[in-house]
Amino acid sequence: MEDSFEDLIASYIENKVGIAEHFLTPELANHLKQNLLDLNQRNALVTAGIGNSDKLLYDGAIRSDSIYWLDKKHNNVFENEFFTKIEAFIVYLNESCYTGITGYEFHYALYEKGDFYLKHLDQFKNNPSRKYSMISYLNSNWQEVDGGELLIHQLNNNQKISPTQGKTVFFKSDELVHEVLVTQNTRMSITGWLKVD
């Protein structure tokens, strides 16, 4: 477990984008993916908005994915296993990097063919509590022709990251403008933020 934590932190220190190829085990990723597919089958996902509860907008020209917020109260064994891993990472991050993270929030994100999310920052102007963004991907057998890459914009160093199953990406929420390129296949992830409340 700590190897994937160190992969995230070391690569983050190197170029402001942490990547761990196997943060999620294949078994956990498959179970989470099945949860997401089951929720979608039951029409439990909602159209994703832009902004927070104080200023929430819906604009399909900017963002076209659907989401479902995770919560320990749902008592889903696999989602709680994911939360346990996130909590262990937070302890490791706070002890090794003195980040002071005190909380988190995560949701499933589903992009159908043709969906995208234009350039944005993850930290709200009216609420700076989101400190780090984390995305864990649930897409097995993802091919380059499927598109749907995460494109992170950095000066002279744009980085395109394929959403392959088990991979987790980690970066500062207020620093890096990023976007999800148009996907040509169903694209699934758990996306969220480590917070200081």
Side-chain angles (χ1 to χ4, degrees), residues 69-132:
W69 287 98
L70 304 187
D71 193 316
K72 281 188 173 180
K73 294 175 186 174
H74 297 158
N75 287 323
N76 181 282
V77 63
F78 304 114
E79 291 166 14
N80 286 346
E81 184 180 341
F82 173 79
F83 285 141
T84 297
K85 180 131 192 178
I86 292 298
E87 289 162 3
F89 177 64
I90 288 171
V91 169
Y92 191 88
L93 184 67
N94 284 341
E95 288 178 350
S96 58
C97 300
Y98 309 105
T99 51
I101 298 301
T102 57
Y104 57 82
E105 59 184 4
F106 283 89
H107 62 67
Y108 287 121
L110 176 68
Y111 290 73
E112 302 283 12
K113 183 176 180 179
D115 285 346
F116 58 89
Y117 192 170
L118 298 184
K119 288 183 186 178
H120 63 283
L121 276 175
D122 280 349
Q123 191 180 88
F124 302 124
K125 290 179 181 177
N126 63 347
N127 184 344
S129 64
R130 290 179 175 178
K131 298 304 179 184
Y132 294 93

Coordinates of all heavy atoms in Angstrom, one line a residue, residues 69-132:
W69 N -22.5 11.0 -5.5 CA -21.7 11.2 -4.3 C -21.6 10.0 -3.4 O -22.6 9.3 -3.2 CB -22.2 12.4 -3.5 CG -22.0 13.7 -4.2 CD1 -22.9 14.4 -4.9 CD2 -20.7 14.4 -4.2 NE1 -22.3 15.5 -5.4 CE2 -21.0 15.6 -5.0 CE3 -19.5 14.2 -3.7 CZ2 -20.0 16.5 -5.3 CZ3 -18.5 15.2 -3.9 CH2 -18.7 16.3 -4.7
L70 N -20.4 9.7 -3.0 CA -20.1 8.5 -2.1 C -20.3 9.0 -0.7 O -20.0 10.1 -0.3 CB -18.7 8.0 -2.3 CG -18.3 7.5 -3.7 CD1 -17.0 6.8 -3.7 CD2 -19.4 6.6 -4.3
D71 N -20.7 8.1 0.2 CA -21.0 8.4 1.6 C -20.9 7.1 2.4 O -21.5 6.1 2.0 CB -22.4 9.0 1.7 CG -22.6 9.7 3.1 OD1 -22.2 9.1 4.1 OD2 -23.2 10.8 3.1
K72 N -20.1 7.2 3.5 CA -20.0 6.0 4.4 C -21.4 5.5 4.8 O -21.5 4.3 5.1 CB -19.1 6.3 5.6 CG -17.6 6.3 5.2 CD -16.8 6.4 6.5 CE -15.4 6.2 6.2 NZ -14.6 6.3 7.5
K73 N -22.3 6.4 4.9 CA -23.7 6.0 5.4 C -24.3 5.0 4.5 O -25.3 4.4 4.8 CB -24.5 7.2 5.6 CG -24.1 8.2 6.7 CD -24.9 9.4 6.8 CE -24.3 10.4 7.8 NZ -25.1 11.7 7.8
H74 N -23.9 5.0 3.2 CA -24.4 4.0 2.3 C -24.1 2.6 2.6 O -24.7 1.6 2.1 CB -23.9 4.3 0.8 CG -24.4 5.6 0.3 ND1 -23.7 6.3 -0.7 CD2 -25.4 6.5 0.7 CE1 -24.3 7.5 -0.9 NE2 -25.3 7.6 -0.1
N75 N -23.1 2.4 3.5 CA -22.6 1.1 3.9 C -22.3 0.1 2.8 O -22.7 -1.1 2.9 CB -23.7 0.5 4.9 CG -23.7 1.2 6.2 OD1 -22.7 1.5 6.7 ND2 -24.9 1.4 6.8
N76 N -21.7 0.6 1.8 CA -21.3 -0.2 0.7 C -19.9 -0.7 1.0 O -18.9 0.1 1.2 CB -21.3 0.5 -0.7 CG -20.9 -0.4 -1.8 OD1 -19.7 -0.6 -2.0 ND2 -21.8 -0.9 -2.6
V77 N -19.7 -2.0 1.0 CA -18.4 -2.6 1.5 C -17.2 -2.2 0.7 O -16.1 -1.9 1.2 CB -18.5 -4.1 1.6 CG1 -18.8 -4.8 0.3 CG2 -17.3 -4.7 2.3
F78 N -17.4 -2.0 -0.6 CA -16.3 -1.7 -1.5 C -16.0 -0.2 -1.5 O -14.9 0.2 -1.5 CB -16.6 -2.2 -2.9 CG -16.9 -3.7 -3.0 CD1 -18.1 -4.2 -3.3 CD2 -15.9 -4.6 -2.6 CE1 -18.3 -5.6 -3.3 CE2 -16.1 -6.0 -2.6 CZ -17.4 -6.4 -2.9
E79 N -17.0 0.6 -1.4 CA -16.8 2.0 -1.3 C -16.1 2.3 0.1 O -15.2 3.2 0.1 CB -18.1 2.8 -1.4 CG -18.7 2.7 -2.8 CD -20.1 3.1 -3.0 OE1 -20.7 3.7 -2.0 OE2 -20.7 2.8 -4.0
N80 N -16.5 1.6 1.1 CA -15.9 1.8 2.4 C -14.4 1.3 2.4 O -13.5 1.9 3.0 CB -16.6 1.1 3.5 CG -17.9 1.9 3.9 OD1 -18.1 3.0 3.5 ND2 -18.8 1.2 4.6
E81 N -14.1 0.3 1.6 CA -12.7 -0.2 1.4 C -11.9 0.9 0.7 O -10.8 1.2 1.1 CB -12.7 -1.4 0.6 CG -11.3 -2.0 0.4 CD -11.3 -3.3 -0.4 OE1 -12.4 -4.0 -0.5 OE2 -10.2 -3.7 -0.9
F82 N -12.6 1.6 -0.3 CA -11.9 2.7 -0.9 C -11.6 3.8 0.1 O -10.6 4.4 0.1 CB -12.8 3.2 -2.1 CG -12.3 4.5 -2.7 CD1 -11.3 4.5 -3.6 CD2 -12.9 5.7 -2.4 CE1 -10.8 5.6 -4.2 CE2 -12.4 6.9 -3.0 CZ -11.4 6.8 -3.9
F83 N -12.6 4.2 0.9 CA -12.5 5.2 1.9 C -11.3 4.9 2.9 O -10.5 5.7 3.3 CB -13.7 5.4 2.7 CG -14.8 6.2 2.0 CD1 -16.1 5.8 2.1 CD2 -14.5 7.3 1.2 CE1 -17.1 6.5 1.4 CE2 -15.5 8.0 0.5 CZ -16.8 7.6 0.6
T84 N -11.2 3.6 3.3 CA -10.2 3.2 4.2 C -8.8 3.4 3.5 O -7.9 3.9 4.2 CB -10.3 1.7 4.5 OG1 -11.5 1.5 5.2 CG2 -9.2 1.2 5.4
K85 N -8.7 3.2 2.2 CA -7.4 3.4 1.5 C -7.1 4.9 1.5 O -6.0 5.4 1.7 CB -7.5 2.8 0.1 CG -6.2 3.1 -0.7 CD -5.8 1.8 -1.3 CE -4.4 1.9 -1.9 NZ -3.9 0.7 -2.4
I86 N -8.1 5.7 1.2 CA -8.0 7.2 1.2 C -7.5 7.7 2.5 O -6.6 8.5 2.7 CB -9.2 7.9 0.7 CG1 -9.5 7.6 -0.8 CG2 -9.2 9.4 0.9 CD1 -8.5 8.0 -1.8
E87 N -8.2 7.2 3.6 CA -7.8 7.6 4.9 C -6.4 7.3 5.3 O -5.7 8.0 5.9 CB -8.8 7.1 5.9 CG -10.2 7.7 5.8 CD -11.3 6.9 6.5 OE1 -11.0 5.8 7.1 OE2 -12.5 7.3 6.4
A88 N -5.9 6.1 4.9 CA -4.5 5.7 5.1 C -3.6 6.6 4.3 O -2.5 7.0 4.8 CB -4.3 4.2 4.7
F89 N -4.0 6.9 3.1 CA -3.1 7.9 2.3 C -3.1 9.2 3.0 O -2.0 9.8 3.0 CB -3.7 8.0 0.9 CG -2.9 9.0 0.0 CD1 -1.6 8.7 -0.3 CD2 -3.5 10.1 -0.4 CE1 -0.8 9.7 -1.0 CE2 -2.8 11.1 -1.2 CZ -1.4 10.8 -1.5
I90 N -4.2 9.7 3.5 CA -4.1 11.0 4.2 C -3.2 11.0 5.4 O -2.4 11.9 5.6 CB -5.6 11.4 4.6 CG1 -6.4 11.8 3.4 CG2 -5.6 12.6 5.6 CD1 -7.9 12.0 3.6
V91 N -3.2 9.9 6.2 CA -2.3 9.8 7.3 C -0.9 9.9 6.8 O 0.0 10.6 7.3 CB -2.6 8.5 8.1 CG1 -1.5 8.3 9.1 CG2 -3.9 8.6 8.8
Y92 N -0.6 9.1 5.8 CA 0.8 9.0 5.2 C 1.2 10.4 4.6 O 2.3 10.9 4.9 CB 0.8 8.0 4.1 CG 2.1 7.6 3.6 CD1 2.9 6.6 4.2 CD2 2.7 8.3 2.5 CE1 4.1 6.3 3.7 CE2 4.0 8.0 2.0 CZ 4.7 7.0 2.6 OH 5.9 6.6 2.1
L93 N 0.3 11.1 3.9 CA 0.5 12.4 3.4 C 0.8 13.4 4.5 O 1.7 14.2 4.4 CB -0.6 12.8 2.5 CG -0.5 14.1 1.7 CD1 0.5 14.0 0.6 CD2 -1.9 14.5 1.1
N94 N -0.1 13.4 5.5 CA 0.1 14.4 6.6 C 1.4 14.2 7.3 O 2.1 15.1 7.7 CB -1.1 14.3 7.5 CG -2.3 15.0 7.0 OD1 -2.3 15.8 6.1 ND2 -3.5 14.7 7.6
E95 N 1.8 12.9 7.6 CA 3.0 12.6 8.3 C 4.2 12.9 7.5 O 5.2 13.3 8.0 CB 3.0 11.1 8.7 CG 2.0 10.8 9.8 CD 2.0 9.4 10.2 OE1 2.6 8.5 9.5 OE2 1.3 9.0 11.2
S96 N 4.2 12.7 6.2 CA 5.4 12.8 5.4 C 5.5 14.2 4.8 O 6.7 14.7 4.5 CB 5.5 11.8 4.2 OG 4.3 11.9 3.4
C97 N 4.4 14.9 4.6 CA 4.5 16.2 3.9 C 3.8 17.4 4.7 O 3.7 18.5 4.2 CB 3.8 16.1 2.5 SG 4.5 14.9 1.4
Y98 N 3.3 17.1 5.9 CA 2.7 18.1 6.8 C 1.7 18.9 6.1 O 1.6 20.1 6.2 CB 3.9 19.0 7.3 CG 5.0 18.3 7.9 CD1 6.2 18.1 7.1 CD2 4.9 17.6 9.1 CE1 7.3 17.4 7.7 CE2 6.0 16.9 9.6 CZ 7.2 16.8 8.9 OH 8.2 16.1 9.4
T99 N 0.7 18.2 5.4 CA -0.3 18.9 4.6 C -1.5 19.4 5.4 O -2.2 20.3 5.0 CB -0.8 18.0 3.5 OG1 -1.1 16.7 4.0 CG2 0.3 17.8 2.4
G100 N -1.7 18.8 6.6 CA -2.8 19.2 7.5 C -4.2 18.8 6.9 O -5.2 19.5 7.3
I101 N -4.3 17.8 6.1 CA -5.6 17.4 5.5 C -6.5 16.9 6.6 O -6.1 16.1 7.5 CB -5.4 16.4 4.4 CG1 -4.6 16.9 3.2 CG2 -6.8 15.8 3.9 CD1 -5.2 18.1 2.6
T102 N -7.8 17.3 6.7 CA -8.7 16.9 7.7 C -9.9 16.2 7.2 O -10.7 15.7 8.0 CB -9.1 18.2 8.5 OG1 -9.7 19.1 7.6 CG2 -7.9 18.8 9.2
G103 N -10.1 16.2 5.9 CA -11.4 15.6 5.4 C -11.2 15.3 3.9 O -10.2 15.5 3.3
Y104 N -12.3 14.8 3.4 CA -12.3 14.4 1.9 C -13.8 14.3 1.4 O -14.7 14.2 2.2 CB -11.6 13.1 1.7 CG -12.1 11.9 2.5 CD1 -13.2 11.2 2.0 CD2 -11.5 11.5 3.6 CE1 -13.7 10.1 2.7 CE2 -12.0 10.4 4.4 CZ -13.1 9.7 3.9 OH -13.6 8.7 4.6
E105 N -13.9 14.4 0.1 CA -15.2 14.1 -0.5 C -14.9 13.5 -1.9 O -14.0 13.8 -2.6 CB -16.1 15.4 -0.7 CG -15.4 16.5 -1.5 CD -16.2 17.7 -1.5 OE1 -17.2 17.8 -0.9 OE2 -15.7 18.7 -2.3
F106 N -15.8 12.5 -2.2 CA -15.6 11.8 -3.5 C -16.9 11.4 -4.2 O -17.9 11.2 -3.5 CB -14.8 10.4 -3.3 CG -13.3 10.6 -3.1 CD1 -12.8 10.8 -1.8 CD2 -12.4 10.6 -4.1 CE1 -11.5 11.0 -1.6 CE2 -11.1 10.8 -3.9 CZ -10.6 11.0 -2.7
H107 N -16.9 11.4 -5.5 CA -18.1 10.9 -6.2 C -17.7 10.0 -7.4 O -16.5 10.1 -7.9 CB -18.9 12.1 -6.7 CG -18.2 13.0 -7.7 ND1 -17.9 12.6 -9.0 CD2 -17.9 14.3 -7.6 CE1 -17.3 13.6 -9.6 NE2 -17.3 14.7 -8.8
Y108 N -18.6 9.1 -7.8 CA -18.4 8.5 -9.1 C -18.6 9.5 -10.2 O -19.5 10.4 -10.1 CB -19.4 7.4 -9.2 CG -19.3 6.1 -8.4 CD1 -20.3 5.7 -7.5 CD2 -18.1 5.3 -8.5 CE1 -20.1 4.6 -6.7 CE2 -18.0 4.2 -7.8 CZ -19.0 3.8 -6.9 OH -18.8 2.7 -6.1
A109 N -17.9 9.3 -11.3 CA -18.1 10.1 -12.5 C -18.2 9.2 -13.7 O -17.4 8.3 -13.9 CB -16.9 11.1 -12.7
L110 N -19.3 9.4 -14.4 CA -19.5 8.6 -15.6 C -19.6 9.5 -16.8 O -20.4 10.5 -16.9 CB -20.8 7.9 -15.5 CG -21.3 7.0 -16.7 CD1 -20.4 5.9 -16.9 CD2 -22.7 6.6 -16.5
Y111 N -18.7 9.3 -17.8 CA -18.7 10.0 -19.1 C -19.2 9.0 -20.1 O -18.5 8.0 -20.3 CB -17.3 10.5 -19.4 CG -16.8 11.7 -18.6 CD1 -16.4 11.5 -17.3 CD2 -16.8 12.9 -19.1 CE1 -16.0 12.5 -16.5 CE2 -16.3 14.0 -18.3 CZ -15.9 13.8 -17.0 OH -15.4 14.8 -16.3
E112 N -20.3 9.3 -20.8 CA -20.7 8.5 -22.0 C -20.0 9.0 -23.2 O -19.4 10.0 -23.2 CB -22.2 8.5 -22.1 CG -23.0 8.1 -20.9 CD -23.1 6.6 -20.7 OE1 -22.3 5.9 -21.4 OE2 -23.9 6.1 -19.9
K113 N -20.1 8.2 -24.3 CA -19.5 8.6 -25.6 C -19.9 10.0 -25.9 O -21.1 10.4 -25.9 CB -19.9 7.6 -26.7 CG -19.2 8.0 -28.0 CD -19.6 7.0 -29.1 CE -18.9 7.3 -30.4 NZ -19.2 6.4 -31.5
G114 N -18.9 10.9 -26.2 CA -19.2 12.3 -26.6 C -19.1 13.2 -25.4 O -19.1 14.4 -25.6
D115 N -19.0 12.7 -24.2 CA -18.9 13.6 -23.0 C -17.5 14.2 -22.8 O -16.5 13.6 -23.3 CB -19.3 12.8 -21.8 CG -20.8 12.6 -21.7 OD1 -21.6 13.3 -22.4 OD2 -21.2 11.8 -20.8
F116 N -17.4 15.3 -22.1 CA -16.2 16.0 -21.9 C -16.4 16.9 -20.7 O -17.5 17.1 -20.1 CB -15.8 16.8 -23.1 CG -17.0 17.8 -23.5 CD1 -17.0 19.1 -22.9 CD2 -18.0 17.4 -24.3 CE1 -18.0 20.0 -23.2 CE2 -19.0 18.3 -24.6 CZ -19.0 19.6 -24.0
Y117 N -15.2 17.6 -20.3 CA -15.3 18.6 -19.3 C -14.2 19.6 -19.6 O -13.0 19.3 -19.6 CB -15.0 18.0 -17.9 CG -15.3 18.9 -16.7 CD1 -15.3 18.4 -15.4 CD2 -15.5 20.3 -16.8 CE1 -15.6 19.2 -14.3 CE2 -15.8 21.1 -15.7 CZ -15.8 20.6 -14.5 OH -16.1 21.4 -13.4
L118 N -14.6 20.8 -20.0 CA -13.6 21.9 -20.5 C -12.7 22.3 -19.3 O -12.9 22.0 -18.2 CB -14.4 23.0 -21.1 CG -15.3 22.8 -22.3 CD1 -15.9 24.1 -22.8 CD2 -14.5 22.0 -23.4
K119 N -11.7 23.1 -19.7 CA -10.7 23.6 -18.8 C -11.3 24.2 -17.5 O -12.2 25.0 -17.6 CB -9.8 24.7 -19.4 CG -8.9 24.2 -20.5 CD -8.0 25.4 -21.0 CE -7.1 25.0 -22.2 NZ -6.4 26.2 -22.6
H120 N -10.7 23.8 -16.4 CA -11.2 24.4 -15.1 C -10.2 24.1 -14.0 O -9.3 23.3 -14.1 CB -12.5 23.7 -14.7 CG -12.4 22.2 -14.5 ND1 -12.3 21.3 -15.5 CD2 -12.3 21.5 -13.3 CE1 -12.2 20.1 -15.0 NE2 -12.2 20.2 -13.7
L121 N -10.3 24.8 -12.9 CA -9.6 24.6 -11.6 C -10.6 23.9 -10.7 O -11.8 24.1 -10.8 CB -9.1 25.9 -11.0 CG -7.8 26.5 -11.4 CD1 -7.6 27.8 -10.8 CD2 -6.6 25.5 -11.1
D122 N -10.1 23.1 -9.7 CA -11.0 22.4 -8.8 C -11.4 23.2 -7.6 O -12.3 22.8 -6.9 CB -10.4 21.1 -8.4 CG -10.6 20.0 -9.5 OD1 -11.4 20.2 -10.5 OD2 -10.0 18.9 -9.4
Q123 N -10.6 24.2 -7.2 CA -10.9 24.9 -6.0 C -11.8 26.1 -6.3 O -11.6 26.8 -7.2 CB -9.6 25.5 -5.4 CG -9.8 26.0 -4.0 CD -8.5 26.5 -3.3 OE1 -8.2 27.7 -3.5 NE2 -7.8 25.7 -2.6
F124 N -12.9 26.2 -5.5 CA -13.9 27.3 -5.6 C -13.3 28.6 -5.2 O -12.6 28.7 -4.2 CB -15.1 27.0 -4.8 CG -15.8 25.7 -5.2 CD1 -16.0 24.7 -4.2 CD2 -16.2 25.4 -6.5 CE1 -16.6 23.5 -4.5 CE2 -16.8 24.2 -6.8 CZ -17.0 23.2 -5.8
K125 N -13.7 29.7 -5.9 CA -13.3 31.0 -5.5 C -13.8 31.4 -4.1 O -13.1 32.1 -3.4 CB -13.7 32.0 -6.6 CG -13.0 31.9 -7.9 CD -13.5 32.9 -8.9 CE -12.7 32.7 -10.2 NZ -13.2 33.6 -11.3
N126 N -15.0 30.9 -3.8 CA -15.6 31.3 -2.5 C -15.4 30.3 -1.4 O -16.0 30.4 -0.4 CB -17.1 31.6 -2.8 CG -17.9 30.3 -3.2 OD1 -17.3 29.3 -3.6 ND2 -19.2 30.4 -3.2
N127 N -14.6 29.3 -1.7 CA -14.4 28.3 -0.6 C -13.0 27.5 -1.0 O -13.0 26.7 -1.9 CB -15.5 27.3 -0.6 CG -15.3 26.2 0.5 OD1 -14.3 26.1 1.1 ND2 -16.4 25.5 0.9
P128 N -12.0 27.8 -0.2 CA -10.7 27.3 -0.5 C -10.4 25.9 0.2 O -9.2 25.5 0.3 CB -9.7 28.3 0.0 CG -10.4 28.9 1.2 CD -11.9 28.9 0.9
S129 N -11.4 25.2 0.7 CA -11.2 24.0 1.5 C -10.6 22.9 0.7 O -9.9 22.0 1.2 CB -12.5 23.5 2.1 OG -13.4 23.2 1.2
R130 N -10.8 22.8 -0.6 CA -10.3 21.7 -1.4 C -8.8 22.0 -1.7 O -8.4 23.0 -2.3 CB -10.9 21.6 -2.8 CG -12.4 21.1 -2.8 CD -13.0 21.1 -4.2 NE -14.3 20.4 -4.2 CZ -15.0 20.3 -5.2 NH1 -14.6 20.8 -6.4 NH2 -16.2 19.8 -5.2
K131 N -7.9 21.1 -1.2 CA -6.5 21.3 -1.3 C -5.8 20.4 -2.4 O -5.0 20.9 -3.1 CB -5.8 21.1 0.0 CG -6.2 22.0 1.1 CD -6.1 23.5 0.8 CE -6.5 24.4 1.9 NZ -6.5 25.8 1.5
Y132 N -6.2 19.2 -2.5 CA -5.7 18.2 -3.5 C -6.8 17.5 -4.2 O -7.8 17.1 -3.5 CB -4.8 17.2 -2.8 CG -3.5 17.8 -2.2 CD1 -3.5 18.2 -0.9 CD2 -2.4 18.0 -3.0 CE1 -2.3 18.7 -0.3 CE2 -1.2 18.6 -2.5 CZ -1.2 18.9 -1.1 OH -0.1 19.5 -0.6

